[in-house]
Amino acid sequence: MSQLNNPFIRRYQNLRVVRQLLITHEDDCPPVWRSVHPTQAHLSEDQVNQFPCVFDDYFALITEGQKVPHTLEDQCKSEGIVRSVVYAISGQEFDGTPVHVGDFYSEGAARRVVNRLSFETGFFSRAWKISTGHIIEESMRYLCEWVDIDTPPGLLFVAFRVPYSPVVGVKLIATPWTDENLQQVEGITADQLQQEHLSKGIPGDLAHILQLAANADVRILMFDADAPVLDGLPVYAT
């Protein structure tokens, strides 16, 4: 199942801040972006911006006022001038595809954005309320029945009612329901868990939504007739 088609996914993976240098060189060549070499990572912006440099396809080295090892300088066949310094936020989609999130002119601003975009376990985006229109009536009846009895072991979820409300919720256990995590926690695969759900009579539409939510590391999923629909999920009735 592609995580890119999972509407519960709301974050990028492995966000990081990388200092990037905008370098101009020969008159007829477009400017290039390079990272400063790790040996010069300690240099301040004032020691980098508007300074001459050498660079290759991967990194740049400031030459003015800095001692550059000959072995590194020999790798850099191009010369230029640093025209601007930005702090780029990069990350990955859930399938590992690289993604460029944005550029900022200060490291502090970039790190504040990373902090806002990072959903740390136990703090953000682990409780959802979606429309009951995303499941068929049979599935809603099924959940209401499970509220009043003990959920069979091995299903990795527990149904519950919200007091003084028609809302029915599900607590998902041992998320995310990926092969790697389930093998470590329960000794099963995601396909085996899905088959266990279906063998216990869980309607297919409900099993599918639970799997999507659990794969996105959601812990609490509530179904409410008054909640808005979630783009990307099937709608059976509203």
Side-chain angles (χ1 to χ4, degrees):
M1 179 185 299
S2 173
Q3 294 284 38
L4 294 178
N5 297 323
N6 187 342
F8 290 101
I9 298 294
R10 283 294 186 270
R11 65 187 186 276
Y12 295 116
Q13 303 294 297
N14 302 320
L15 288 172
R16 61 195 183 101
V17 176
V18 179
R19 183 164 62 165
Q20 294 281 308
L21 312 180
L22 178 64
I23 301 170
T24 58
H25 47 125
E26 298 177 20
D27 291 340
D28 58 345
C29 293
V32 298
W33 292 96
R34 294 292 185 270
S35 298
V36 67
H37 190 271
T39 59
Q40 295 187 342
H42 63 283
L43 296 181
S44 68
E45 187 170 331
D46 290 339
Q47 294 174 297
V48 173
N49 201 12
Q50 304 302 320
F51 277 76
C53 66
V54 292
F55 63 94
D56 64 4
D57 292 339
Y58 305 101
F59 60 83
L61 287 157
I62 304 301
T63 53
E64 184 174 313
Q66 307 299 326
K67 187 174 182 179
V68 179
H70 292 301
T71 54
L72 288 177
E73 191 170 11
D74 290 343
Q75 296 180 43
C76 301
K77 305 302 182 182
S78 301
E79 298 180 356
I81 297 177
V82 178
R83 298 300 183 181
S84 183
V85 179
V86 301
Y87 295 85
I89 299 177
S90 62
Q92 294 176 323
E93 299 280 7
F94 261 65
D95 65 351
T97 302
V99 60
H100 177 77
V101 179
D103 297 322
F104 296 83
Y105 285 106
S106 76
E107 184 177 10
R111 295 203 179 281
R112 284 192 293 272
V113 171
V114 168
N115 186 58
R116 290 170 183 167
L117 292 177
S118 299
F119 296 96
E120 300 294 340
T121 297
F123 291 91
F124 300 103
S125 194
R126 308 198 82 190
W128 286 70
K129 185 165 67 171
I130 63 174
S131 171
T132 54
H134 291 306
I135 55 176
I136 61 177
E137 291 184 12
E138 179 188 354
S139 295
M140 195 63 187
R141 288 195 299 269
Y142 181 92
L143 283 177
C144 290
E145 291 173 0
W146 281 115
V147 163
D148 300 319
I149 61 176
D150 292 334
T151 305
L155 296 185
L156 299 187
F157 74 85
V158 176
F160 62 90
R161 292 187 189 277
V162 176
Y164 311 108
S165 167
V167 176
V168 175
V170 176
K171 179 180 180 181
L172 301 167
I173 301 168
T175 62
W177 288 354
T178 59
D179 286 341
E180 181 180 4
N181 190 58
L182 289 174
Q183 285 280 12
Q184 182 177 357
V185 177
E186 298 290 326
I188 60 174
T189 66
D191 285 341
Q192 288 173 323
L193 178 59
Q194 188 174 41
Q195 289 303 314
E196 179 70 11
H197 286 170
L198 297 177
S199 69
K200 290 296 193 294
I202 299 178
D205 62 300
L206 177 58
H208 179 64
I209 283 186
L210 295 183
Q211 186 178 43
L212 285 176
N215 283 348
D217 211 10
V218 172
R219 283 296 177 90
I220 301 294
L221 180 62
M222 293 174 284
F223 296 92
D224 183 353
D226 295 325
V229 299
L230 177 59
D231 289 343
L233 288 181
V235 177
Y236 300 99
T238 58

